[in-house]
Amino acid sequence: MSTAPEDAHSAGAQMPPPQPRDFTWQSAEGLTLHGRDWVVDVAEDKAGIPVICLPGLSRNSRDFNDIANFLQKQNHHVIALDYRGRGKSDWDPDWRNYALPIEENDIVLAIEKLGLKRFAVLGTSRGGLHALVMAGRYSAEQMAGVIFNDVGPHIEMRAIHRIAATLCHRMSARSLDEVADNLKHTIGHQFPAFERKDWLKLASQLASETSDGFVMDYDPALAHQFASLDDAAPAPDLWPLYDRLLDRPVMVIHGEMSDLLSLETCNRMIETHPNARLRTIPGQGHAPVLWETETHEAVARFLKEL
């Protein structure tokens, strides 16, 4: 049966969730980029592995608030990044720089700034694609494991067309309720169990209040990424990138209703990897919101084994 996500911190936690702190770093071109940092204050031998959270195409670091608060209480240092043009990061004057290789260099600079010697990656959608590429840069000794949130080496084209058709539409709204309505209209079929409070919570993650109402937290120039979408072009073969992860543990989180990550791709990811596990989130699509206690605990178990 499909269920709406249960907020982990409303399900019995005694203390209020710890507050993240903001930090910034500079891109190679001088853009000021933003991240959120959930630090821990424990002895090194009691600390869990740090976790770098990478969001989806038009998403931002607020997507990880719930799971980061939980993991911090498990003594994991958690870092969530805003790509250029998203969240609180500067917009790039050249939309062509909203590209995976440019963003990857930004991520590398953030890792260097934070002095991370060993870490795991939790990547939602585009963030998981970054993790695939990063496997060629970072060995298993440094990037010790990867959690893919509803993404893999094969992406269903129907999802790309849906994203292309809806990205940068309804960028502004008069109220948070209107943002929630817009989200429900766009992806409601993938989250059939969401209640009103869930849509409002998601809206608060994706939009910010301004003097004129609410605006989505990304540069509308992102839409140019899909301007030359060619149905006849073959999809890139990303399985060789996944093979680079065979030497480290992998976890795949799959939205049962997802139109981007198929069950067939999930099964292949599990079957071809010697140390991979799959968690399917019932009643959620692309991408699972990572709010519920059971998912938090499953991720924590995975990280503990690293």
Side-chain angles (χ1 to χ4, degrees), residues 76-92:
H76 292 281
H77 178 195
V78 183
I79 305 102
L81 305 182
D82 287 338
Y83 307 130
R84 59 178 66 201
R86 287 80 140 188
K88 296 181 180 179
S89 290
D90 284 350
W91 291 8
D92 196 306

Side-chain angles (χ1 to χ4, degrees), residues 20 56 84 175 181 188 218 229 252 260:
R84 59 178 66 201
S175 66
D181 288 340
Y218 62 90
L229 190 62
V252 181
L260 187 140

